[in-house]
Amino acid sequence: MTTSPETTAPMTELDDETVAEYLRTHPDFLERNEDVLVALDIPHRPGPGAVSLIERQVATLRERNERLERKLAELMRTARDNERVGAQLLALGRGLLEAESLDGVLALVRDTLLSEFAADEAVIVLIDHEGPADGHFLAGDGAVAQAFAGVLERGAAVCGRLSDEQQAALFGKRAEHTASAAVAPLRAGRVSGLIGLGSHDSGHFTPDMGRLFLEQLGELVSAGIARYTQCPV
C-alpha cells in the first residue's frame, strides 16, 4: 500500500479590499496588535484618517518607551539594593569575626538587624537539641521548636504572615504588633535556631519576595555562632 506525498495548499494572496474589509469589521485590530501598528509605513499626508493613525503610532511608541524606562529604573533600584545588602552582609561578617563571645555575637546581630535592615522587631533564638534550656538556649521540645519544626527541617527562609502560634512563640508580647515577618533558620552543629524579623507593615515582608538574602544572612550568623556553641560561654 502506498501513500501519496503530503501536499500543502498554497496560501491565498489577500487583495487590498479584503484587508480593508477585515480592518473595518475589526476596528480594534491595530490596538490588539501593536507590533503591526509600529511596523506600518504611514505616509504623512493631509487628511484626518492618516493623521489619526500616525498619532496613534507615535502614542504606541511613546508608551513602549515609558514602559522600558520604568523597567530600567526598576532594574537600577534592584541593583542599588543588592549592592547595599552586600555591603551590610560584609560589615556584619567582619563584626562577627571580631566578636569575643556568644553574647557579643547575638548583640551584634540584633543591633544590625534593627539598624540596617528596616525591621521593627528582631529576635535571635537558639535551640539546643541535646542539652537542657539555659540562658542562651531554648529546649529542643519547646514552643519555638514545635512551631517552626517545618522551617528548621527544611532549612529554608519564609516570609509573610506567620501563624498565630508562630507569632506568639517567636515574638512573645510583641506579636500583636507584628503584621508581617521574615524568618531565617540557623544551624551550628547540635544547635539550631531562628532569626526573626518583624514589621508593623503587613506589606513589608511578603510570600513572593526573594529569600536568597535571608538564607545568606542565616548562613553567616550560623558561622558566627558555631565558634561558641562547642565550648562554655
Side-chain angles (χ1 to χ4, degrees):
M1 180 177 179
T2 60
T3 57
S4 59
E6 192 174 309
T7 59
T8 302
M11 293 184 60
T12 303
E13 185 175 349
L14 300 177
D15 56 29
D16 291 355
E17 181 57 34
T18 301
V19 175
E21 180 60 26
Y22 181 85
L23 292 175
R24 280 193 291 269
T25 56
H26 299 80
D28 62 340
F29 175 81
L30 293 177
E31 185 175 352
R32 291 184 289 106
N33 298 271
E34 291 184 352
D35 290 342
V36 177
L37 175 62
V38 172
L40 289 177
D41 183 11
I42 305 171
H44 187 64
R45 298 175 181 171
V51 172
S52 176
L53 194 54
I54 290 175
E55 289 176 346
R56 176 58 183 166
Q57 192 176 48
V58 170
T60 298
L61 290 171
R62 184 180 296 115
E63 291 169 4
R64 284 191 174 185
N65 184 58
E66 291 173 353
R67 287 198 297 268
L68 289 173
E69 288 181 347
R70 288 195 296 270
K71 183 64 176 178
L72 178 60
E74 180 182 347
L75 290 173
M76 292 179 66
R77 283 194 299 271
T78 300
R80 286 194 294 269
D81 289 344
N82 289 340
E83 182 179 3
R84 175 179 54 81
V85 168
Q88 291 167 341
L89 287 176
L90 179 60
L92 176 60
R94 288 172 176 165
L96 291 173
L97 289 174
E98 295 171 357
E100 298 180 351
S101 66
L102 182 57
D103 283 329
V105 168
L106 298 179
L108 170 66
V109 173
R110 188 175 186 279
D111 289 346
T112 301
L113 295 177
L114 289 173
S115 63
E116 301 295 337
F117 296 107
D120 297 312
E121 307 289 349
V123 296
I124 307 98
V125 296
L126 300 180
I127 304 168
D128 191 335
H129 294 272
E130 297 180 6
D134 62 20
H136 289 100
F137 304 102
L138 302 179
D141 58 354
V144 174
Q146 292 180 9
F148 290 93
V151 175
L152 294 170
E153 181 178 354
R154 292 190 301 272
V158 295
C159 300
R161 178 70 183 179
L162 302 177
S163 69
D164 291 342
E165 178 189 8
Q166 291 173 329
Q167 289 270 107
L170 191 59
F171 294 108
K173 295 180 179 180
R174 301 187 298 277
E176 60 181 297
H177 303 297
T178 306
S180 63
V183 179
L186 303 172
R187 172 60 68 181
R190 74 174 192 274
V191 173
S192 68
L194 299 165
I195 292 175
L197 298 172
S199 174
H200 301 163
D201 178 4
S202 60
H204 189 70
F205 298 112
T206 60
D208 59 344
M209 70 186 302
R211 296 172 176 80
L212 178 60
F213 151 70
L214 281 172
E215 292 171 357
Q216 290 177 337
L217 176 65
E219 291 176 4
L220 185 62
V221 175
S222 294
I225 292 171
R227 298 171 60 200
Y228 301 101
T229 55
Q230 306 303 323
C231 58
V233 292

